[in-house]
Structures are given as C-alpha cells and as structure tokens.
Amino acid sequence: MRDPEKIKQKQKPQDPVDETLGENAPRKGGRRQFWRFCSYYRPHKKLFLEDLFCATIIALIDLVFPMATRHAMNVLLPGGQFGVFFWLIAGLFLLYVLRSAMQYFVTYFGHMLGVRIEATMRRDLFVHMQKLSFGFYDKSRTGQLMSRVTTDLFEISELAHHGPEDLFISILTIVGAFLLMLSLNWKLALVIIVLLPLILWFVISNRRRMLSTSKEVKSRTALINADIESSISGIRVAQAFANEKREIEKFDAGNTRFQMGKRLYYRAMAWFFSGMEFMTNILYVVVLGVGGYLMLLGEMDAATLVAFMLFVNSFLTPIRKLTQFMEQFTAGYAGFERMCDLMDTRPDIEDSPNARTLGSVKGEIRFEGVSFAYDRTKVLKDLDLTVRPGEKLALVGPSGGGKSTLCALIPRFYEPQAGRILVDGQDIRSVTIASLRSQIGIVQQEVFLFADTIRENIRYGRLGATDEEVVEAAKKAEIHEDIMALPNGYDTFVGERGVMLSGGQKQRVSIARIFLKNPPILILDEATSALDTETEIKIQRSLDALAVGRTTLVIAHRLSTIRNADEIVVIDHCGVAERGTHERLLHQNGEYAALYAAQFSVYGGEEEANSQQRKDGRKKV
Ligand code: ADP
C-alpha cells in the first residue's frame, strides 16, 4: 500500500493541470475517442438495447395517434361504426398505458445506465490518479482534478444516457412523421419540410448564444465562489487588519459582474423562447392556411388536416430534443476528452515489467552517483552515500539544500535522472513500488489525518491491525493517554470537521502509525515549529523508541537532537559538504560547526552545555 504521507513539497508551480497533461498526453484522434466512449456501453449492452427498444415503442406510439384520429374522423365516425370507434379508443388507451410503462423504463433504467457508465469512468479515473506520481501532483491543482472526477463526469453521464436515446427517438420520429405526412398529402408535407431548416437555423443559432452566455455565467459564478472562498479562509486576516470594507468591495465587484452575466443569459433565453413559440405557432398557422387552401382545391379533407396539425406537434418535440442533444454533446464530450487526457497521462514512476517483490530487508541504503533535478531546479549532483543497516544518519544543512528531496528518492516518490539507489544491494527500480514502500516509514512535520476516527487513523499504518495492536502502538508513541482524555476515546472523530488535535498530538498519531507498520527503514522529518518543552520531550522520546533497530534518516533542524547520530551529513546547495560524527565535524570547524554555533547563540540557554559538548568533542577526537 502506498504511504499516504507526502514528503513536504515546496514551490508548487501554479500551472493548471492542462499544461501538465500537455507534456505527457498525446492528443488522440476523435474516432479513437468515440470508440473509447462506446466501449463503456459494452458491459451494459443488454440494458442499452432494452432502453433503445422502449424508446422506439414510445416514438411509434406517438406516430399512431394522428393516424388514428384521421381514421376515426374520416371513416369510423361518418360511417357510424361506433363499435369499432370505441375499440379504437380502448386500444389507444392501452397503448398509452404501454407508453407510460416504457417511459418509466427509459427514465429510470436509462438514467441508471448513465450512472453505471459514470461510476465505471469515475473508478477508472480514480484508480489511475492513485498511480500518478508526486511530480504530477506538484503541477496540478486539486480543484481542477476534483472537477474532472465530479462535474465533468456528471455531464458525461447525462450524455451517455440521453445522447443515443434522444438522437435515436428524434430521427425516428422525424423520419416516421415525414413519411406518414408524405403518404397523406405530399404538397403539405413539402411545405413543412421547407420550413424545417428555417426553424432549425433559428434554434441552433440561438441555443449557441444561450450556451455561450451560460458558459460565461458559469465562469463568473466560479470566480465569485473562488473569491468568497478566499475571503472566508482569510477572514481572520481581514478582521485583524480591520479590512472588512475592502473585502466587501471586492465581493461587490464580483457580484455585479455575476449579475451582468446573468442578464445577458436571460436576455438570450427570453429571445430564444419567444422566438421558438413564434416559430411553432406560425408553423401551425401556415399548415392551417396551406391545408385550408388545399381543401378549397379539393385536394385534402378536414380529417387529414387535423392529422397534419397533430404531426406538427410530434415534429417539434424531436427538434427540441435534438437541440438539447447538441448541448449535451458539447458539454459531455468536452468532459470526456478531458477525462481521456488525464487517463492518457502515463504515470512517470511505475513498476518495471519484471519487478520483484522486495522481501523483508536489513535496511542498508546506498546512493550511487545520484543526480536529481525538479524540472529546472537542480538539487542533487552525483551523490554517493551509504547508510548501514540499523544506523542513524542525520541530514543537516540550509533550508532548500535538498535534504527532503534526498529522502523522497528512497521510496521512489521521484526518480533520479542519473545514478541508482540500492536497498540491501537491490536497485529500487528492480522491485515493486508497493513492496519497497512497505519497508519504509515516514514521519513528517505536517501530518495529514483522514476524516475518520482516531483508531482508523492509526490503523492506516497497517490496515489489518487489531484494536489491541492499535492501542499498543499508541502507547509506544505516548499518545494513548491523550486519546483516552478525548470525548469518545479511540472512536473520536478527527481530521476535517472532527476534534482538533494539537500539532504535537498529530505528530504522535503519525508516529503510532509507523509503530504499527513496523518498517526496517525510517525517514523522520523533524518538526521545525517550536513545540512546548513537554511535548517536544514526549515526541523525541517516542521517536527515539521508534528508531531502535531501524535504519533511520533524520532531517534534523535542531542539532541538539542528533548529537548521538552515527553519522551526520551536511547537505548544502552544492551537495554533500561534510560528513562525520558530531564530534568530528565540530573538530573540523567547518559548516556544521558554524551551524551548531549559530543555533546555540539563538537558543542561549543551552550555550553552556554546548560549549561543554564542544570541549568534550575536541578531547575525544
Ligand atoms: P530541504 O529539505 O533541504 O529544505 P528540499 O529538498 O525541500 O530542501 O528542496 C531542495 C530544492 O528543491 C529547493 O530549491 C526547493 O525549492 C526545490 N523543491 C523542493 N520540492 C520541490 C518540488 N516538489 N518541485 C519543485 N522544486 C522543489
């Protein structure tokens, strides 16, 4: 299982996700994407065909009514065949019962089909996202990724269900109605067909305007939401500076822009609906007029004219549906393309095809000529370093020197551009990532707790652990008593919207996780922020207990905590500057000695101990 905790990341570039994807994701041809879309129907073929079948029945029943009306008016009623007439009425009644059953099926199961496809796509996407490396997440915005998995997919689901069905029913009804009208009176049918492109042109052009204004409204809404979110997150700062008025002004500007956007949208909408109504009514008037004229010429009877009027209605519904389809297609297919882009982003760190499982290791780590750079920032160059099993190695040096980066290379969160890293003599690229990471425990400064109980948060270290093992790990991490003091003990909810734990408590929860995981290799990122002395002692004690018998790399910020390290490596912007024991490095009087002196001039109280230590060190060397 992948360790959920991340090595701290700095300088996150603000590139939107699309730019990231652009690098790795080749643009795929439209046809290939179309088949890919269709492939999601395959597991639901039966349901899909049933859905289309029901849709066909609905379309056919809709065509029956005008014909039945005409037959009744022309033949049955004038001929006094009331018996047959009432059978016809009963038949129509039954047909409409059947139609509503079909409608139920199409609405319910059709939507469920869409939902199933959406769920499969969402799962594919989520599984894929789990594989993408730190490098990818460094460059992507969480908000954008979220919208890929939620909003985009919802639109795809709507398209997946309504798309084929709307297209199918509409074309079937339009063609069916047209053929029937042709058979009744081709002249009047042609008049309607001539008017059709005019209506279509009006609908399409106006829908497009509505779509663009609605997009504008969406983007303005997104902006106003982002502004509100930023203002609320920063409300403490705003209040501290008494800048509430400024915030309200900023909000007002966004709110006005939003109103303007909505105004344009509603104007387009008003134009569309009034125009559409006009077109529809005019179509009726034209059919009535031309039909009346044809009656005058004796080419048509009244019942056929009524049937035509009814057909006009069944003609217009599919046209509206088609335009709706176009909208859904635009939104849904764009969402699908964005999804494909993400799916086609290859994970840059993957198991090699013949990767072995890394068994339980002793914990030797060797860096051989390792060079690493983030895009443009060169961090490590030709680094050689060996950590013996069970050894405690401290990494010190100026901030930004590359200590965290070095540690992030061991679990393969990032891949070096040159050189190799060996664990117990095995190149880490030759073993599976999961087995490698199962051998490594990471304790970070910033601890992430899931919105769950504290028990489950600790159990995250080893998912199969029993409750007793969880408690034991908590005791070892010196957090047990703090947990027992919480309102619901181990069942207390923590994380988002849960009980607030202090920084020190969270840190000990993360240490308890690692006790449960019990890995032979440990990476500790010491807390930089000042904790109160008691907490610090507790954490230090539990960290020391954790390190026993494990190969430990400590990113040390407080030099007082690493005096007893087996080896100290000073990493600065040029790579490894010095290495040796505490005493030796002090004796060398180089970078480490300078760092050490600087720290103790800040922590004045320890000055004396420090100078004593230094003297001791010199004596020993
Ligand atoms: P340290 O742990 O010694 O403070 P880091 O390993 O965090 O140093 O950083 C080394 C250099 O790499 C710094 O210049 C930092 O800005 C850069 N860096 C760190 N993380 C990332 C990242 N995720 N993407 C790009 N650059 C990074």
Side-chain angles (χ1 to χ4, degrees):
M1 185 205 65
R2 182 178 152 167
D3 197 303
E5 300 188 343
K6 300 181 296 172
I7 292 283
K8 93 184 140 163
Q9 297 158 13
K10 292 177 191 166
Q11 282 195 345
K12 281 196 176 177
Q14 292 300 302
D15 304 344
V17 70
D18 296 291
E19 283 173 33
T20 326
L21 296 170
E23 286 168 19
N24 301 342
R27 281 256 155 209
K28 294 283 160 25
R31 191 180 294 174
R32 196 179 157 270
Q33 234 152 50
F34 174 74
W35 288 116
R36 195 169 177 176
F37 188 76
C38 294
S39 72
Y40 278 95
Y41 285 95
R42 206 170 296 139
H44 315 291
K45 209 161 47 190
K46 187 165 161 273
L47 189 59
F48 178 62
L49 290 178
E50 281 167 1
D51 188 51
L52 282 192
F53 175 75
C54 294
T56 313
I57 305 267
I58 294 177
L60 291 180
I61 292 178
D62 284 345
L63 292 179
V64 166
F65 188 71
M67 294 306 279
T69 311
R70 177 173 173 268
H71 185 65
M73 287 175 70
N74 255 358
V75 183
L76 303 181
L77 293 178
Q81 303 177 33
F82 291 107
V84 184
F85 176 73
F86 286 116
W87 275 115
L88 180 74
I89 296 295
L92 281 177
F93 181 80
L94 285 180
L95 273 184
Y96 280 113
V97 171
L98 179 68
R99 191 191 184 282
S100 30
M102 296 291 126
Q103 188 69 57
Y104 177 86
F105 188 92
V106 167
T107 311
Y108 178 56
F109 289 101
H111 274 112
M112 284 316 292
L113 170 77
V115 169
R116 281 195 208 168
I117 289 179
E118 181 188 353
T120 315
M121 286 179 175
R122 180 168 293 147
R123 187 166 195 287
D124 284 356
L125 207 54
F126 188 77
V127 168
H128 183 71
M129 281 164 73
Q130 296 288 320
K131 290 188 217 146
L132 296 176
S133 67
F134 278 35
F136 171 80
Y137 288 101
D138 284 349
K139 292 175 199 153
S140 310
R141 287 190 190 156
T142 316
Q144 269 172 320
L145 291 177
M146 282 288 294
S147 76
R148 295 278 156 95
V149 192
T150 53
T151 336
D152 277 5
L153 281 185
F154 174 71
E155 274 169 0
I156 298 176
S157 141
E158 283 294 286
L159 171 67
H161 160 44
H162 290 291
E165 187 190 289
D166 282 355
L167 203 61
F168 189 71
I169 297 190
S170 306
I171 292 175
L172 201 72
T173 325
I174 291 179
V175 173
F178 181 61
L179 289 180
L180 287 173
M181 285 195 288
L182 266 186
S183 75
L184 294 179
N185 187 303
W186 64 270
K187 284 183 188 159
L188 191 50
L190 279 187
V191 169
I192 295 179
I193 283 301
V194 168
L195 287 177
L196 196 66
L198 198 70
I199 301 177
L200 272 179
W201 165 80
F202 176 83
V203 169
I204 292 171
S205 62
N206 281 284
R207 279 276 180 186
R208 205 171 283 158
R209 216 172 88 193
M210 258 170 78
L211 203 65
S212 72
T213 46
S214 116
K215 263 192 195 152
E216 183 64 27
V217 170
K218 271 188 198 154
S219 83
R220 289 184 191 194
T221 315
L223 265 181
I224 202 171
N225 284 348
D227 283 352
I228 293 175
E229 196 207 321
S230 151
S231 285
I232 292 180
S233 314
I235 198 141
R236 291 177 182 82
V237 181
Q239 290 184 354
F241 282 95
N243 274 351
E244 293 92 334
K245 239 175 98 185
R246 164 104 183 88
E247 290 303 309
I248 293 170
E249 275 165 19
K250 271 202 297 196
F251 170 82
D252 279 344
N255 213 14
T256 312
R257 272 199 305 275
F258 167 77
Q259 272 188 50
M260 293 292 292
K262 272 257 146 147
R263 212 176 73 180
L264 290 179
Y265 173 69
Y266 285 131
R267 196 182 280 169
M269 191 167 129
W271 177 247
F272 175 74
F273 281 114
S274 51
M276 189 70 199
E277 294 277 298
F278 176 75
M279 294 275 182
T280 318
N281 294 332
I282 287 303
L283 193 61
Y284 280 117
V285 173
V286 169
V287 170
L288 186 65
V290 177
Y293 180 67
L294 288 174
M295 275 176 73
L296 203 72
L297 297 181
E299 290 186 19
M300 203 161 124
D301 51 54
T304 309
L305 184 56
V306 171
F308 258 92
M309 299 297 266
L310 293 172
F311 273 130
V312 167
N313 187 39
S314 46
F315 220 72
L316 288 170
T317 319
I319 289 177
R320 280 199 202 103
K321 273 214 170 114
L322 270 184
T323 56
Q324 224 171 327
F325 166 75
M326 272 166 28
E327 244 170 67
Q328 259 162 9
F329 186 80
T330 325
Y333 209 70
F336 183 69
E337 275 185 338
R338 281 197 293 268
M339 177 190 134
C340 289
D341 279 346
L342 191 53
M343 288 295 289
D344 292 339
T345 310
R346 286 181 300 276
D348 46 9
I349 301 177
E350 276 182 302
D351 283 343
S352 70
N354 43 6
R356 297 183 306 274
T357 306
L358 180 68
S360 186
V361 296
K362 290 213 293 290
E364 188 206 51
I365 304 168
R366 207 159 65 229
F367 284 75
E368 287 182 356
V370 170
S371 299
F372 178 79
Y374 296 101
D375 294 336
R376 271 163 239 108
T377 328
K378 289 202 175 89
V379 185
L380 302 171
K381 193 162 172 290
D382 208 13
L383 177 102
D384 290 308
L385 185 71
T386 304
V387 195
R388 285 185 295 277
E391 193 178 69
K392 181 173 179 183
L393 181 104
L395 298 166
V396 300
S399 171
K403 304 180 289 295
S404 310
T405 306
L406 188 148
C407 291
L409 296 181
I410 305 170
R412 283 186 80 194
F413 291 147
Y414 297 95
E415 204 93 282
Q417 281 87 23
R420 56 184 197 151
I421 302 168
L422 305 149
V423 169
D424 274 21
Q426 302 192 55
D427 190 328
I428 56 172
R429 279 170 304 191
S430 69
V431 297
T432 61
I433 296 174
S435 68
L436 171 71
R437 291 181 184 166
S438 72
Q439 300 293 310
I440 303 170
I442 304 166
V443 178
Q444 284 187 277
Q445 291 183 31
E446 274 184 35
V447 179
F448 182 80
L449 295 185
F450 291 94
D452 205 335
T453 61
I454 198 155
R455 188 195 312 281
E456 292 310 316
N457 264 292
I458 296 179
R459 212 197 302 271
Y460 209 81
R462 178 155 55 87
L463 295 180
T466 62
D467 286 357
E468 290 73 32
E469 286 171 326
V470 169
V471 172
E472 191 168 326
K475 281 184 181 157
K476 283 187 190 153
E478 303 211 15
I479 184 72
H480 175 72
E481 264 142 46
D482 294 44
I483 296 174
M484 294 315 283
L486 291 173
N488 294 318
Y490 279 86
D491 293 319
T492 309
F493 259 81
V494 291
E496 248 178 283
R497 299 217 196 129
V499 167
M500 301 280 278
L501 296 184
S502 73
Q505 285 171 327
K506 279 195 203 163
Q507 189 111 69
R508 278 174 285 147
V509 169
S510 80
I511 295 173
R513 274 180 188 163
I514 307 295
F515 266 117
L516 259 192
K517 188 173 180 181
N518 195 21
I521 297 171
L522 205 59
I523 296 172
L524 307 177
D525 194 351
E526 261 189 1
T528 38
S529 52
L531 297 163
D532 62 275
T533 327
E534 199 190 335
T535 311
E536 206 177 318
I537 290 171
K538 270 191 189 167
I539 290 180
Q540 200 51 51
R541 251 200 332 244
S542 54
L543 281 180
D544 286 346
L546 186 61
V548 172
R550 302 175 209 269
T551 307
T552 310
L553 275 91
V554 191
I555 301 173
H557 303 288
R558 262 154 233 234
L559 303 185
S560 56
T561 58
I562 51 148
R563 282 178 194 144
N564 64 348
D566 297 301
E567 189 172 19
I568 295 169
V569 176
V570 182
I571 302 218
D572 63 13
H573 299 284
C574 311
V576 174
E578 291 173 8
R579 59 208 280 183
T581 57
H582 172 75
E583 288 81 11
R584 232 185 89 195
L585 291 178
L586 280 186
H587 183 67
Q588 269 184 14
N589 212 9
E591 210 165 311
Y592 179 76
L595 274 172
Y596 196 72
Q599 241 182 42
F600 283 107
S601 66
V602 177
Y603 298 105
E606 285 176 88
E607 183 73 62
E608 206 176 320
N610 160 38
S611 59
Q612 186 58 43
Q613 180 78 25
R614 217 175 300 168
K615 274 183 224 148
D616 292 350
R618 289 203 180 129
K619 262 183 239 152
K620 268 186 214 152
V621 174

